[in-house]
Amino acid sequence: MILPRYRIAESTIQGAGKGLFVDEFVAAGAIVTAPDEIDRTYRWADIQASPDLYSAARWFEDRYTMSPDWPDECYVNHSFQPTGLWHLGFIFAAKDLPQGTEITVDYRHLLAPGQVEAFADAQTGEKITGLSWQESLRVSTHALAALLG
């Protein structure tokens, strides 16, 4: 579920295709996306064995949600300097986001530990490699606590 008004348009990130943009101001720390219609999670081994499941995002430990389609939340692109903070399936505004801001997150939180994304970071050219669950939780919890004061 995407909470602020938004639109899907060409991404500002070279090679990224389309992106998700907020159509209203979003204050730092506000929730941009929240879990919606999550009725099942899958272990990473199950995902690797099932080619018909389309997109995956890690939520906790070795548990992922899968989607056979492409919901609008899938238009959130990667950045090592993201406008959104991924934490346990929520995306929080990482700073005040003016209307028209593209929502990005650090994909290392969504990937399996050690999994390398098929593309590199557009700005730095660095590989995007999934963090361990513990590191992802430590980093995102610390960042959220700092953001919320």
Side-chain angles (χ1 to χ4, degrees), residues 36-40 42 47 50-57 65-72 74:
D36 188 27
E37 298 184 32
I38 308 247
D39 60 350
R40 180 154 186 218
Y42 301 83
I47 293 167
S50 186
D52 20 321
L53 297 174
Y54 192 62
S55 62
T65 55
M66 294 299 304
S67 177
D69 56 6
W70 194 263
D72 285 353
C74 290

Side-chain angles (χ1 to χ4, degrees), residues 11-88:
S11 176
T12 59
I13 301 167
Q14 185 176 355
K18 295 192 181 288
L20 188 146
F21 296 80
V22 293
D23 270 348
E24 61 184 276
F25 172 83
V26 180
I31 295 172
V32 177
T33 71
D36 188 27
E37 298 184 32
I38 308 247
D39 60 350
R40 180 154 186 218
T41 62
Y42 301 83
R43 296 194 182 283
W44 184 243
D46 299 333
I47 293 167
Q48 290 178 309
S50 186
D52 20 321
L53 297 174
Y54 192 62
S55 62
R58 179 175 59 193
W59 289 70
F60 60 92
E61 297 178 351
D62 187 32
R63 303 303 291 194
Y64 299 75
T65 55
M66 294 299 304
S67 177
D69 56 6
W70 194 263
D72 285 353
E73 289 86 346
C74 290
Y75 289 103
V76 173
N77 287 312
H78 163 80
S79 175
F80 284 140
Q81 297 178 355
T83 59
L85 169 64
W86 175 272
H87 182 74
L88 297 174

